[in-house]
Amino acid sequence: MTDNIQDKVVVITGASSGLGAETARHLVKAGARVALGARRLDRLQALAKELGEANATAFQVDVTDRQQVQAFVDHAAKTFGRLDVMINNAGLMPLAPLEMLRFDEWNQCIDVNIKGVLWGIAAALPHFKAQKSGHFINVSSVAGHTISAGGAIYSATKYSVRVISEALRKEVKPYGIRTTVLSPGAVDTELPASVGAPGVNQAIADYYQHNAIPADSFARCVLFAMSQPDNVDINEILFRPTVQEL
Ligand SMILES: NC(=O)c1ccc[n+]([C@@H]2O[C@H](COP(=O)([O-])OP(=O)(O)OC[C@H]3O[C@@H](n4cnc5c(N)ncnc54)[C@H](OP(=O)(O)O)[C@@H]3O)[C@@H](O)[C@H]2O)c1
């Protein structure tokens, strides 16, 4: 599980909590070095301290801003001397029926979940092309495979992650770059807090409380995809809590 991870440099967006933070812990334990990005710098700095300054660097970034994402990725490459994996993980899940017309949430969800991934790809791709190696891990969701009432915008963004990743996979063949889409079901993180719609938020919080599995489930999938030999490209991982029907 930890082959091919030692000394790799991994950039993680959305590393201030949940799946990103837990993955950083697993990666450092396996010998990787991590660049941690998100808006809450205090959280990132505390995590970097926990992981050790030789292994982790914290960088404040809003993934909706292309220049900030470029600065983050360039900072990682400069700090650690190379770039091996870009995990486009930052995201939010503002579930709500369309008729609630929560326009600000629609905008933010599209900007973070789709454009944030695009900016991450744009920032890391030149580094990967120059090295003729690299690995994109883009985070979709079960909602990128199934559509529920109340999930129009979120599912649209997570289907988009899969669409973008599949085109990317085909385009980067000449450069030896790998592409993985990782689609979790309900995992215990702060994600339910991004549901703002009255009524929906309580239902989602209750569902997560009773069904969500720990974040190390996701981290293990990242390490599985990364640890394959360079000529093995794990393109899709979809996993759920065993009890999850949706
Ligand atoms: N947990 C699940 O059940 C589940 C299921 C399927 C898919 N996912 C996906 O997994 C990914 C990680 O979510 P999570 O479950 O770990 O939730 P989380 O604990 O809420 O983490 C979300 C992360 O995204 C960051 N983020 C949000 N907006 C950002 C922005 N504008 N710029 C930079 N960072 C931003 C947050 O950091 P700041 O607030 O500090 O910026 C935080 O670190 C998301 O893409 C989510 O859609 C999660």
Side-chain angles (χ1 to χ4, degrees), residues 40-75:
R40 289 171 293 177
L41 187 58
D42 52 338
R43 295 270 205 114
L44 298 174
Q45 286 170 335
L47 182 57
K49 200 169 167 199
E50 174 193 325
L51 299 176
E53 282 184 6
N55 306 315
T57 180
F59 194 95
Q60 186 169 41
V61 60
D62 183 332
V63 298
T64 65
D65 183 317
R66 184 170 60 83
Q67 268 90 22
Q68 287 188 33
V69 178
Q70 187 69 61
F72 172 42
V73 169
D74 292 347
H75 164 81

Side-chain angles (χ1 to χ4, degrees), residues 137-219:
I137 300 180
N138 296 332
V139 182
S140 177
S141 170
V142 162
H145 294 257
T146 63
I147 303 161
S148 304
I153 307 299
Y154 184 62
S155 272
T157 66
K158 292 304 187 179
Y159 271 81
S160 291
V161 170
R162 294 182 57 223
V163 169
I164 292 161
S165 301
E166 179 59 4
L168 179 69
R169 183 187 73 75
K170 292 181 172 167
E171 292 176 16
V172 298
K173 288 290 140 193
Y175 311 115
I177 297 168
R178 303 192 290 181
T179 55
T180 301
V181 179
L182 189 33
S183 298
V187 181
D188 185 18
T189 68
E190 297 177 15
L191 197 66
S194 66
V195 186
V200 184
N201 50 9
Q202 195 51 54
I204 296 297
D206 287 349
Y207 183 82
Y208 270 69
Q209 195 183 345
H210 292 106
N211 297 290
I213 52 178
D216 64 349
S217 56
F218 175 92

Side-chain angles (χ1 to χ4, degrees), residues 202-235:
Q202 195 51 54
I204 296 297
D206 287 349
Y207 183 82
Y208 270 69
Q209 195 183 345
H210 292 106
N211 297 290
I213 52 178
D216 64 349
S217 56
F218 175 92
R220 285 196 303 275
C221 292
V222 171
L223 268 70
F224 172 76
M226 279 177 60
S227 64
Q228 302 305 310
D230 290 337
N231 62 353
V232 178
D233 191 9
I234 302 293
N235 300 126

Side-chain angles (χ1 to χ4, degrees), residues 15 39 46 56 58 71 80 92 100 103 108 114 117 122 126 134 172 185 194 207-208 217 223 234-235 243 245:
R39 293 166 303 174
F80 295 123
L92 60 153
M100 290 180 96
F103 299 128
Q108 186 69 2
I114 302 178
V117 171
V172 298
S194 66
Y207 183 82
Y208 270 69
S217 56
L223 268 70
I234 302 293
N235 300 126
V243 296
E245 186 184 329

Side-chain angles (χ1 to χ4, degrees), residues 23-131:
T23 300
R25 291 189 181 95
H26 282 247
L27 285 170
V28 167
K29 210 169 162 190
R33 289 163 294 166
V34 292
L36 310 168
R39 293 166 303 174
R40 289 171 293 177
L41 187 58
D42 52 338
R43 295 270 205 114
L44 298 174
Q45 286 170 335
L47 182 57
K49 200 169 167 199
E50 174 193 325
L51 299 176
E53 282 184 6
N55 306 315
T57 180
F59 194 95
Q60 186 169 41
V61 60
D62 183 332
V63 298
T64 65
D65 183 317
R66 184 170 60 83
Q67 268 90 22
Q68 287 188 33
V69 178
Q70 187 69 61
F72 172 42
V73 169
D74 292 347
H75 164 81
K78 196 166 172 217
T79 303
F80 295 123
R82 58 178 290 112
L83 198 72
D84 296 297
V85 185
M86 177 77 208
I87 306 184
N88 288 305
N89 165 72
L92 60 153
M93 183 181 68
L95 301 174
L98 290 167
E99 66 177 346
M100 290 180 96
L101 304 179
R102 297 176 68 86
F103 299 128
D104 290 347
E105 289 184 350
W106 296 4
N107 269 327
Q108 186 69 2
C109 190
I110 289 165
D111 285 349
V112 174
N113 293 11
I114 302 178
K115 290 189 188 167
V117 171
L118 286 171
W119 303 154
I121 292 168
L125 193 51
H127 292 277
F128 289 169
K129 277 174 71 175
Q131 289 173 185

